[in-house]
Amino acid sequence: MTPALIWLIVAIALMAAEVLSGDLVLLMLGGGALFGAGAALFTGNPIIDVVVFAVASTALLWLARPALKRRFLHTPEIKMGPEALIGTHGVVLSTVNGEGGQVKLDGAVWSARSVAEGQRIEPGTRVTVVQISGATAVVAPEA
């Protein structure tokens, strides 16, 4: 078996193992092994192959990996649960005032109260959720 083929098998094995780890280290080492395979094709000297592997792997780990991690691990903040309703629009089902009422938000019926004390919002009025307080949506009429 030629040294280039051995380097190629090592590269494929490292890259496949990356699927289990997910930290991008094995992927960078697999890339270094690909460079080692290329060096083995052209030089035939195992010492040069190992040096090329070491230099390429180090460069990939220090330069490419941080950029890739920032790219892949940076996700926008996704609001979950009741917080996701803030800013959504709904329709008043029963009169909403400072003490209570009901609104329909995203197909679900929620307890609601108006954001301003003394404000009365009549059924059928479109409202915007300002905040969620426990299991109650605090709403304001749409402008």
Side-chain angles (χ1 to χ4, degrees):
M1 197 177 298
T2 66
L5 186 57
I6 294 171
W7 279 109
L8 186 60
I9 291 169
V10 168
I12 292 170
L14 286 168
M15 290 179 181
E18 176 63 38
V19 173
L20 299 175
S21 75
D23 200 32
L24 300 178
V25 172
L26 296 176
L27 186 65
M28 300 301 115
L29 294 176
L34 284 178
F35 278 99
L41 278 175
F42 294 112
T43 65
N45 185 341
I47 295 173
I48 292 175
D49 302 346
V50 171
V51 169
V52 167
F53 166 74
V55 170
S57 295
T58 303
L60 288 170
L61 283 169
W62 284 92
L63 300 175
R65 183 175 174 263
L68 287 172
K69 281 190 79 165
R70 275 193 304 274
R71 171 96 172 146
F72 290 132
L73 297 179
H74 177 71
T75 57
E77 184 178 327
I78 298 173
K79 293 181 181 177
M80 302 292 287
E83 293 84 28
L85 291 173
I86 296 173
T88 61
H89 305 286
V91 178
V92 176
L93 297 178
S94 67
T95 303
V96 174
N97 56 29
E99 296 177 10
Q102 289 185 328
V103 296
K104 189 169 195 173
L105 303 170
D106 286 340
V109 177
W110 277 72
S111 299
R113 64 180 169 83
S114 63
V115 68
E117 284 297 319
Q119 184 179 36
R120 183 178 166 99
I121 308 171
E122 296 299 324
T125 306
R126 291 195 40 87
V127 292
T128 302
V129 178
V130 177
Q131 75 180 60
I132 300 293
S133 177
T136 302
V138 180
V139 297
E142 286 186 356

